[in-house]
């Protein structure tokens, strides 16, 4: 029996000729698939962290992530200035999460060049939604925290967790249309751009001008090598490592290095579709020299953009290993009557909860509908204001980046715990509200379709 193809050749995704289907549709499908599965794994690891942190073995949980490790090269480990002691938790947050932000940078670049953000009109809808979803939550947080150390947490409720959000939406299956999922994804990506800017501009400590100049030089060198079409990947890996270290030493958070390298990656293939046709003709030659085979392999590879190749390589690593590790290391917080009572009487917890639940719904919905009303953009096909409210609520799931900003905003452990409780509670409520609204919306659509069928009969 012939192996069944995953998509019919007559479907949009199954066709091999249109570039949109092969280059964008399948890429988006893979991305959404990994985000959905990764989001479910993320939920599982967050639950494990909470159980572990509230079990008789809770001391082991905190001791594990406070285990000290060192980043050093050879004999330089003996020099205090060059040996960088980090805890295991800090290693996950400051080193491994760079790869996550690198993949975010790759996706932003792809969207800007060939995706939903490649034209002003296409970008208007997710941009308007994301701006509302960042500004209103931040203002609501400020309303509860107008003075003291707590004010530093204003960036926490601005973030949307792509993996968690897509994971929750995936549980509804076909009840949520692909166009709505793409709207949520692009909204979250623009949201990530805002979060990255907030981290770089507002959560940076003392700047080292010297190291910042080194970082700028590395960015310039990378851009120059790409412009003259130096295509040897190890060179860029070395430059990426140097950029990470320079930014790490400069005072700007090191994860920004991942975003920068992602944005610098080429999002268009080196060879176009005409070259691809010639390559396919060459494949029919029975006898070719080894040198020709190497050239053929290179040409076939270069019909796929670097951003897409790197995403295919790294996205499963970040989605299935790095982000779950991050959840395990950061979601653990002591939950008892006293800590929960203190948290819910705290302006930090209240501000985050109101920002993620109410702020996201109001901000995204109002800004989206205003943009449509002003003629700047149109809603995706089949989307109603009710769908927008549902997606806006789902966008209130702010786990990963919100937790990440919490560690940057607060040094005080009590404030961190209050923020984490607020994030976990608000994300759960936002997920439940959004799921309920989208589920009811799909039921209403099904009822309307049945009524139309009956009228026709």
């Amino acid at each position: 029996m012939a192996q069944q193809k995953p998509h019919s050749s007559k479907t949009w995704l199954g066709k091999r000729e249109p570039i949109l289907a092969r280059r964008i549709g399948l890429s988006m499908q893979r991305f959404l698939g990994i985000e959905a599965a990764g989001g479910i794994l993320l939920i599982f690891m967050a639950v494990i962290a909470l159980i572990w942190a509230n079990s008789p073995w809770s001391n082991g949980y905190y001791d594990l992530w406070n285990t000290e490790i060192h980043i050093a090269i050879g004999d330089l480990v003996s020099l205090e200035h060059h040996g960088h002691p980090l805890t295991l938790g800090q290693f996950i947050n400051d080193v491994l999460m760079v790869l996550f932000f690198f993949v975010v940078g790759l996706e932003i670049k792809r969207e800007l060049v060939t995706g939903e953000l490649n034209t002003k009109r296409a970008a208007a809808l997710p941009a308007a939604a994301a701006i509302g979803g960042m500004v209103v939550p931040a203002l609501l947080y400020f309303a509860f925290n107008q003075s003291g150390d707590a004010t530093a947490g204003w960036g926490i409720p601005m973030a949307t967790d792509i993996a968690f959000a897509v994971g929750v939406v995936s549980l509804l299956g076909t009840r949520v249309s692909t166009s709505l999922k793409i709207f949520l994804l692009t909204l979250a990506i623009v949201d990530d751009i805002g979060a990255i800017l907030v981290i770089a501009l507002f959560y940076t400590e003392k700047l080292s001008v010297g190291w910042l100049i080194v970082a700028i030089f590395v960015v310039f060198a990378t851009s120059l090598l790409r412009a003259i079409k130096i295509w040897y990947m190890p060179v860029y890996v070395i430059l990426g490592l140097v950029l990470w270290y320079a930014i790490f030493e400069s005072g700007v958070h090191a994860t920004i290095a991942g975003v920068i390298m992602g944005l610098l990656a080429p999002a268009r293939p080196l060879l176009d579709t005409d070259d691809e046709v010639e390559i396919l003709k060459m494949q029919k030659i029975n006898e070719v020299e080894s040198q020709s085979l190497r050239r053929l392999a290179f040409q076939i590879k270069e019909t796929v953009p670097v951003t897409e190749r790197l995403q295919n390589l790294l996205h499963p690593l970040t989605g299935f290993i790095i982000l779950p590790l991050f959840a395990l290391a950061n979601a653990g917080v002591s939950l008892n009557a006293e800590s929960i009572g203190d948290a819910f009487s705290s302006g930090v917890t209240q501000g985050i909860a109101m920002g993620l639940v109410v702020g996201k719904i109001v901000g995204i919905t109002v800004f989206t509908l205003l943009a449509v009303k002003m003629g700047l953009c149109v809603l995706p096909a089949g989307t109603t204001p009710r769908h927008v409210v549902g997606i806006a609520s789902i966008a209130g799931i702010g786990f990963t980046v919100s937790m990440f900003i919490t560690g940057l905003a607060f040094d005080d452990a009590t404030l961190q715990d209050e923020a984490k409780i607020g994030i976990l509670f608000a994300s759960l409520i936002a997920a439940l509200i959004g799921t309920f609204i989208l589920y009811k919306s799909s039921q209403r659509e099904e009822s309307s379709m049945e009524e139309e069928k009956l009228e026709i009969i």
Side-chain angles (χ1 to χ4, degrees), residues 118-279:
N118 68 332
T119 65
K120 290 181 180 179
R121 188 167 179 81
L125 182 64
I131 290 169
M134 290 186 285
V135 172
V136 177
L139 291 176
L140 279 176
Y141 181 88
F142 269 126
F144 286 87
N145 301 276
Q146 298 179 10
S147 62
D149 294 339
T151 56
W154 61 271
I156 297 171
M158 295 174 66
T160 294
D161 189 299
I162 298 178
F164 250 134
V166 173
V168 169
V169 168
S170 71
L171 297 177
L172 292 169
T174 56
R175 292 180 180 273
V176 178
S177 66
T178 301
S179 61
L180 266 182
K181 290 176 183 177
I182 293 175
F183 172 56
L184 174 62
L185 180 62
T186 50
L187 156 64
I189 287 170
V190 178
D191 191 287
D192 278 343
I193 296 173
I196 289 160
L197 291 174
V198 166
I199 292 170
L201 297 175
F202 299 102
Y203 290 103
T204 295
E205 298 177 356
K206 296 179 181 178
L207 282 176
S208 170
V209 177
W211 282 108
L212 207 54
I213 291 172
V214 173
I216 292 171
F217 175 78
V218 173
V219 171
F220 175 77
T222 304
S223 302
L224 180 63
L225 290 176
R226 193 190 67 176
I228 61 177
K229 299 194 182 303
I230 299 294
W231 235 243
Y232 189 53
M233 194 63 69
V235 172
Y236 294 97
V237 172
I238 293 170
L239 286 171
L241 291 172
V242 174
L243 179 64
W244 172 84
Y245 188 79
I247 291 181
F248 180 83
E249 290 284 1
S250 72
V252 179
H253 200 273
T255 51
I256 300 301
V259 179
I260 293 171
M261 291 303 290
L263 291 173
L264 289 173
R268 296 191 186 278
L270 182 65
L271 302 178
D272 58 24
T273 51
D274 291 335
D275 296 312
E276 191 170 355
V277 171
E278 293 301 319
I279 292 167

Side-chain angles (χ1 to χ4, degrees), residues 314-338:
L314 296 175
H315 197 192
L317 174 65
T318 59
F320 299 137
I321 297 177
I322 293 176
L323 285 184
L325 269 177
F326 176 85
L328 186 63
N330 290 274
V333 59
S334 177
L335 296 176
N336 52 54
E338 184 180 355

Side-chain angles (χ1 to χ4, degrees), residues 4-54:
Q4 188 175 359
K5 294 181 180 180
H7 301 286
S8 167
S9 61
K10 294 183 179 180
T11 65
W12 184 75
L13 288 175
K15 290 180 180 179
R16 295 192 56 83
E17 293 180 359
I19 294 176
L20 280 177
R22 287 185 293 137
R23 293 283 163 78
I24 298 176
L26 292 175
S27 298
M28 185 66 75
Q29 188 184 54
R30 284 194 295 268
F31 188 88
L32 286 169
I34 292 173
E35 289 295 335
I40 294 169
L41 182 57
L42 208 59
I43 296 170
F44 176 76
M45 297 305 286
V47 171
I48 293 296
L50 284 170
I51 294 172
W52 189 359
N54 291 276

Side-chain angles (χ1 to χ4, degrees), residues 87-141:
T87 64
L88 182 58
Q90 289 172 332
F91 177 77
I92 292 170
N93 294 348
D94 294 347
V95 181
L96 294 186
M97 284 295 284
V98 174
L99 283 177
F100 164 72
F101 279 96
F102 177 60
V103 172
V104 169
L106 290 172
E107 182 59 19
I108 291 171
K109 181 64 176 286
R110 192 194 71 79
E111 288 291 326
L112 290 172
V113 176
T114 61
E116 294 291 315
L117 306 177
N118 68 332
T119 65
K120 290 181 180 179
R121 188 167 179 81
L125 182 64
I131 290 169
M134 290 186 285
V135 172
V136 177
L139 291 176
L140 279 176
Y141 181 88

